[in-house]
Structure formats: structure tokens, C-alpha cells
Amino acid sequence: MSTLTVDTIQGKTTAGTVAMPSGTTVQFKYDISTTEVSNNTDSYVATSVSISFTPKFATSLIFVQWEGHIKKNTSAGGGFGMNLYKDSSALTDSPSDSSTKPYEFYKDETRMNLRASKSHCEVAGNTTARTYTCKFKRYDSNTGLVVVNENGASGNGQEILTVMEIKQ
């Protein structure tokens, strides 16, 4: 068996340009929270996780994923949606707020309790710092209160946001 021990890996022509194979994870960050966030409006509100991220390479893929507990409290029909954001820009066109039925989750009656997830992948485009978040909102005033990470006698909800840079 051999052991390779190094203090520094340097590119053969320029420092900081080490060739990495496609599919290699360049960096990975995550944020976990059990902080309860409620929203009873038709405007997007951020959950309690966010990640400041600066890609190392403009050509890398950036994979963003949120997963967490979300609940619609009222017993009337209605729905809610959520989206991932890079700074103040939504990363996907779902839910489609311009349609008549934009919901990602809808139920005719009774409450909804679920673990939901949302993911997105894009080319970094540049090496500028950015902040990733997840935001959610209700649709239809009958929906009432929507809660992420509801805390209660049976325990706390939990959410996680992950951002991964992948070499192309």
C-alpha cells in the first residue's frame, strides 16, 4: 500500500488551476434549521435557512435542494407553493404565479402535513457570491396559515438547504 502526503496541490502552469474530472464535487454547503416560520399571506416569505455561496468556476454546475416539513393549517380548501431563490430571483417557473391554478400542493378540504422538496440545477455562469434561500406562500385566502417547521408537543419540524458545486 502507498501513501501520498502533500501540503499543496498546484496547477502545472498556474496556481489554482488543478484539473478535476467531470462530476467531481468542488464544494458543498448546507444549512439545517428547526425554526418555525409561518405565513398567512399571498406573498413569498423565506424559510429559516440560507446559504451564501461563491462558485470557484463559472462553468461548474450548481445543484440546490431544499427539503423540509410544511403544513397548511386550516380545514378549508386551498394550496401553497414554494420556490428556490438565488438572491432575489426565483430559480424555477413552478409554481406559475400567472396561472389560475399555480399550486404545487392543493387539497379540497382538511389540513395538509407533508415533507416536501424542491431542487434546481444550473450553470454557475460566474464566480460572483450569491445567497440561496427557499420561500413559500399560500394561494387562495381560504388556505389560511402555512407553516414550515411547525414546533409542537410531538416534536419540531426540520428543514435542510444544500448547495453543491460540481465540475463539468
Side-chain angles (χ1 to χ4, degrees), residues 12-14 18 21 45 51 53 74 100 115 150 156:
K12 61 184 174 181
T13 57
T14 306
V18 175
V45 170
I51 295 176
F53 197 86
T74 60
T100 58
R115 287 293 291 171
E150 182 179 51
N156 298 339

Side-chain angles (χ1 to χ4, degrees), residues 86-138:
K86 178 173 63 180
D87 298 322
S88 61
S89 299
L91 292 176
T92 72
D93 58 3
S94 171
S96 174
D97 291 336
S98 62
S99 74
T100 58
K101 300 285 188 224
Y103 319 105
E104 283 195 298
F105 301 97
Y106 180 87
K107 192 165 184 180
D108 291 344
E109 54 185 78
T110 69
R111 295 165 180 82
M112 284 189 280
N113 287 291
L114 58 117
R115 287 293 291 171
S117 65
K118 184 97 174 176
S119 57
H120 176 74
C121 191
E122 66 181 2
V123 174
N126 58 53
T127 56
T128 303
R130 70 273 318 258
T131 300
Y132 292 99
T133 57
C134 181
K135 297 181 182 182
F136 67 104
K137 74 177 192 173
R138 72 177 187 186

Side-chain angles (χ1 to χ4, degrees), residues 10-156:
Q10 186 171 340
K12 61 184 174 181
T13 57
T14 306
T17 60
V18 175
M20 298 166 62
S22 179
T24 300
T25 299
V26 177
Q27 57 178 320
F28 175 89
K29 288 188 175 184
Y30 70 95
D31 188 12
I32 296 175
S33 176
T34 58
T35 301
E36 182 176 306
V37 179
S38 298
N39 185 2
N40 65 352
T41 72
D42 298 334
S43 299
Y44 281 102
V45 170
T47 69
S48 60
V49 291
S50 70
I51 295 176
S52 296
F53 197 86
T54 305
K56 306 267 187 226
F57 306 100
T59 57
S60 292
L61 292 175
I62 304 297
F63 179 74
V64 184
Q65 182 173 24
W66 178 89
E67 188 260 335
H69 179 262
I70 192 163
K71 176 182 181 179
K72 175 184 83 86
N73 272 345
T74 60
S75 59
F80 56 87
M82 60 192 184
N83 211 331
L84 297 169
Y85 282 76
K86 178 173 63 180
D87 298 322
S88 61
S89 299
L91 292 176
T92 72
D93 58 3
S94 171
S96 174
D97 291 336
S98 62
S99 74
T100 58
K101 300 285 188 224
Y103 319 105
E104 283 195 298
F105 301 97
Y106 180 87
K107 192 165 184 180
D108 291 344
E109 54 185 78
T110 69
R111 295 165 180 82
M112 284 189 280
N113 287 291
L114 58 117
R115 287 293 291 171
S117 65
K118 184 97 174 176
S119 57
H120 176 74
C121 191
E122 66 181 2
V123 174
N126 58 53
T127 56
T128 303
R130 70 273 318 258
T131 300
Y132 292 99
T133 57
C134 181
K135 297 181 182 182
F136 67 104
K137 74 177 192 173
R138 72 177 187 186
Y139 291 100
D140 185 348
S141 60
N142 292 333
T143 300
L145 188 65
V146 178
V147 181
V148 170
N149 295 335
E150 182 179 51
N151 297 322
S154 61
N156 298 339

